[in-house]
């Protein structure tokens, strides 16, 4: 099954959940998503999602010097981001319960 369309619908939730565990820079978030089992997630999709969530006021950012290259921009959840994460978790759980009812009857 091609999960790319499913992933598009839950990428905000997944990124917020990764950042709820710990602050991270772009590629660190990508690695966290892939380690969780979302191997198909694209770098560009995650970077775009981080920018959009930041522009929506759900994340804060700060720059950390790196000894291995350019400075890294870290993202962290702020209070509006935590609220949005809670809302999206509830919506996901309701959706998952609905789908379990549908496919469980098969």
């Amino acid at each position: 099954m091609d999960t790319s369309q499913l992933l598009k619908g839950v990428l905000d939730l997944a990124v917020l959940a990764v950042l709820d565990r710990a602050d991270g820079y772009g590629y660190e978030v990508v690695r966290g998503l892939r380690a969780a089992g979302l191997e198909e997630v694209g770098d560009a999709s995650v970077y775009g999602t981080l920018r959009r969530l930041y522009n929506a006021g759900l994340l804060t950012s700060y720059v950390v010097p790196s000894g291995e290259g350019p400075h890294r921009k870290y993202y962290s959840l702020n209070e509006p981001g935590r609220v949005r994460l809670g809302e999206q978790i509830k919506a996901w759980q309701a959706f998952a319960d609905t789908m379990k009812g549908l496919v469980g009857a098969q």
Side-chain angles (χ1 to χ4, degrees), residues 46-66:
V46 174
Y47 285 104
T49 299
L50 286 167
R51 277 191 303 275
R52 191 171 35 71
L53 293 172
Y54 176 79
N55 289 335
L58 303 175
L59 304 176
T60 57
S61 68
Y62 55 94
V63 176
V64 175
S66 172

Side-chain angles (χ1 to χ4, degrees), residues 9-17 52-53 58 82-94:
V10 297
L11 191 54
D12 284 10
L13 171 57
V15 167
L16 291 171
R52 191 171 35 71
L53 293 172
L58 303 175
R82 283 184 190 74
V83 169
R84 176 71 58 89
L85 175 60
E87 293 167 352
Q88 288 191 349
I89 288 170
K90 287 178 187 173
W92 171 256
Q93 289 170 338

Side-chain angles (χ1 to χ4, degrees), residues 6-84:
L6 293 172
L7 185 56
K8 286 180 186 178
V10 297
L11 191 54
D12 284 10
L13 171 57
V15 167
L16 291 171
V18 167
L19 291 174
D20 189 43
R21 294 177 181 166
D23 296 357
Y25 59 92
Y27 192 65
E28 205 169 51
V29 174
V30 170
R31 285 191 313 218
L33 293 168
R34 289 179 180 162
L38 300 176
E39 293 91 6
E40 295 179 24
V41 69
D43 297 10
S45 296
V46 174
Y47 285 104
T49 299
L50 286 167
R51 277 191 303 275
R52 191 171 35 71
L53 293 172
Y54 176 79
N55 289 335
L58 303 175
L59 304 176
T60 57
S61 68
Y62 55 94
V63 176
V64 175
S66 172
E68 302 173 3
H71 299 326
R72 292 185 172 147
K73 184 176 185 178
Y74 279 74
Y75 293 93
S76 61
L77 279 182
N78 56 23
E79 189 55 33
R82 283 184 190 74
V83 169
R84 176 71 58 89

